[in-house]
Amino acid sequence: MTSEIPARPELGDVVVGVDGSPSGRTAVLWAAAEADRRGRPLRLVHAADTDRRALFANAETIQAVREAGRDLLIEAASTVQERFPDLAVTRELSRQEPVAGLRAAAGHGGTIVVGNRGLGGFSALMLGSVGMGVAARAEAPVIVVRGGSDRPESGSVTAAVHGASDVGWLLVAAAEADARKAVLRLVSVWNVLTHVGNVATMLDDLDEIAQQRVHEIKALADRVRDFYPRLIVSHHVETGTSTPGILVEASAHTDLLVMGREHRVLGAGPSLGRVAHVLLHHAHCPVEIVPPAFATRVDET
């Protein structure tokens, strides 16, 4: 049963894909820092895809793939323990393909972290396949690590919001900011072009619509403060003609950009909207995608 008052979310274990690529190594260390902030275990997962490979490869090849995967996991765990000696770290060699392996490891309560390219043992694989697949299909939040490893911290988390219905996943962004002791910035883009062209739309109407958006975002900020009274929350409505462009620019000045994943249209297949696609490929910082199912569970009491 759904209540009008959502529950304060708990950030779960961190699951990170290990593949040996430079992007993957960056993601592993970022995920370790995230797990350390949360006080949760870090789960290193290498998806060797041996179930599928067994259909066309011999036993020696499969064994070599497994051994290579184990070596990658041992190396990743050693690197993490050097940086975070007190962090609980587990290793998992999955027999499934990368998307399915990471989804299974995270379940419904974890957070999946991936690099922005190269995952599951295919070092040349671009985000458009595995990373995008995880972000589109996972039942748990997914963070795609972007930006340089030496990027200075800004002390802020940014949430790309639209309206009142965002409150479920927005509390996840608040939990991320709270764990970092950072400021939470709510940014909503009001694109005037979405209202121009309607013969019934007048300038007064546009001004009224803009003011309504401002009031909605302020109300969202107030709801977040109810759950996190010590959290500094700011809210901004940006006006422009390119929502993705404004959010990409905002990503240059924050430590993490969080947004909700769109609901499936008529229940047919997973979806990532155009804005999410652009951010996952061009943002200057890690991007977290929170799925509708996770946000719905936040609303349950």
Side-chain angles (χ1 to χ4, degrees):
M1 182 176 179
T2 300
S3 169
E4 292 182 358
I5 303 177
R8 181 167 167 163
E10 180 179 353
L11 298 177
D13 295 354
V14 179
V15 176
V16 61
V18 175
D19 67 351
S21 69
S23 174
R25 286 191 284 270
T26 298
V28 165
L29 288 176
W30 192 95
E34 176 74 5
D36 187 59
R37 273 190 296 267
R38 296 181 178 191
R40 305 288 299 206
L42 175 69
R43 301 178 60 186
L44 304 171
V45 177
H46 177 79
D49 200 16
T50 51
D51 282 349
R52 182 186 64 85
R53 291 172 186 261
L55 298 175
F56 57 84
N58 58 38
E60 290 77 11
T61 299
I62 297 300
Q63 183 60 27
V65 169
R66 289 173 176 162
E67 290 178 0
R70 291 191 188 97
D71 289 344
L72 286 174
L73 287 168
I74 291 171
E75 178 186 3
S78 176
T79 300
V80 168
Q81 298 283 211
E82 287 179 5
R83 297 276 191 97
F84 302 92
D86 298 325
L87 183 63
V89 180
T90 61
R91 307 191 305 263
E92 178 181 336
L93 181 64
S94 172
R95 296 163 47 185
Q96 302 181 75
E97 53 86 18
V99 173
L102 289 168
R103 289 176 64 192
H108 294 286
T111 298
I112 300 172
V113 177
V114 297
N116 66 329
R117 64 177 65 191
L119 188 65
F122 300 92
S123 60
L125 191 61
M126 296 296 288
L127 172 67
S129 179
V130 175
M132 197 66 75
V134 174
R137 295 179 176 85
E139 294 81 12
V142 175
I143 299 175
V144 176
V145 177
R146 297 193 54 82
S149 57
D150 57 349
R151 188 172 182 267
E153 293 185 356
S154 69
S156 71
V157 170
T158 297
V161 297
H162 185 268
S165 62
D166 291 333
V167 64
W169 69 260
L170 181 55
L171 290 181
V172 177
E176 292 280 13
D178 187 58
R180 288 169 168 76
K181 296 180 173 57
V183 173
L184 177 64
R185 299 175 62 243
L186 276 55
V187 175
S188 180
V189 179
W190 185 71
N191 190 336
V192 67
L193 294 182
T194 61
H195 301 283
V196 172
N198 185 338
V199 294
T201 302
M202 301 296 182
L203 290 177
D204 289 345
D205 297 327
L206 292 175
D207 184 65
E208 182 179 347
I209 294 169
Q211 289 302 316
Q212 181 179 352
R213 174 67 65 86
V214 171
H215 290 315
E216 287 182 357
I217 304 310
K218 180 182 182 302
L220 277 176
D222 289 340
R223 294 200 72 184
V224 170
R225 294 186 188 100
D226 288 340
F227 289 92
Y228 296 89
R230 297 183 180 180
L231 185 64
I232 298 174
V233 184
S234 65
H235 56 92
H236 312 271
V237 175
E238 304 286 347
T239 302
T241 57
S242 171
T243 299
I246 290 174
L247 292 176
V248 167
E249 173 61 25
S251 73
H253 311 288
T254 192
D255 297 326
L256 177 68
L257 194 149
V258 188
M259 65 182 303
R261 194 175 79 206
E262 295 181 1
H263 286 271
R264 299 177 181 183
V265 179
L266 300 178
S271 65
L272 279 178
R274 180 177 64 92
V275 175
H277 272 273
V278 173
L279 288 172
L280 291 179
H281 285 94
H282 300 289
H284 300 286
C285 72
V287 178
E288 180 168 7
I289 306 293
V290 184
F294 190 91
T296 299
R297 284 192 296 277
V298 170
D299 284 335
E300 293 175 351
T301 59

